[in-house]
Amino acid sequence: MDVMTEKTLQETTCSECGTRLAEGQDREVTADGSFCRSCFERLREQLRQAIETQQRDVPWMRAALGGLAGAALGVLAWWGFTVVTEIAFGLIAVGIGIAVGKGVVLASGEKRSHGLQAMSVAISVAAFAYASYLVNRTFLQRAFAAQGSPGTLPFFPNPELFLSVVKLNLGIMDAVFLAIVVYEAWKIPAPVRLPA
Ligand SMILES: [Zn+2]
């Protein structure tokens, strides 16, 4: 062993309690430093409890309202952008997934669980579909007006009309954007995982 390595080993101390870790002493080396065994086990237990608390007593109603508020923001942002710029820029739709995920987490008081993930995805997909309807509705009405036969489509259509309007502009990029929306909505309320 060269002098340098020997010195480094001798000078290692526990990042939590500062105890010097003798060569060969049981330790846990992490990205955040080296820990003596008892400090590591204690910190790990604290982390485990914190993660457990995050998943317990979820206020579902508040979480749903937060998700819906996020959805409304995301839908309005995308639709507003489209109305103002006259281009349907699907990438902005991705913001729906982020807004819903953050809404769910914030409104539930920083809770994260698989149930919240499922709720976040369901709200986001519905919001993405409704935003697509609103965007296509705007373009359709402009096309009607340009042809000299202005007509309006309802804000809350029946399912049949809804589907036929949403299907109008479907393309491969919509699938990509929807996939990103789902990914963001799923990722944000995910429970923190205990490092192995
Ligand atoms: Zn220690």
Side-chain angles (χ1 to χ4, degrees), residues 78 88-94 128 132 166-167 169-182:
W78 184 21
F89 187 46
L91 193 57
I92 290 186
V94 169
F128 184 79
S132 304
V166 168
K167 274 196 298 198
N169 261 328
L170 277 189
I172 184 72
M173 286 317 285
D174 292 294
V176 173
F177 293 136
L178 180 60
I180 304 175
V181 167
V182 168

Side-chain angles (χ1 to χ4, degrees), residues 15 17 26 29 36 61 72 86 128 134 168 180:
S15 302
C17 66
D26 190 16
V29 182
C36 74
M61 187 54 85
E86 307 203 347
F128 184 79
L134 288 182
L168 278 176
I180 304 175

Side-chain angles (χ1 to χ4, degrees), residues 74 93-102 120 124 180-182 184-186 188:
V94 169
I96 291 174
I98 298 172
V100 172
K102 290 221 180 288
S120 172
S124 294
I180 304 175
V181 167
V182 168
E184 293 294 343
W186 179 256
I188 293 170

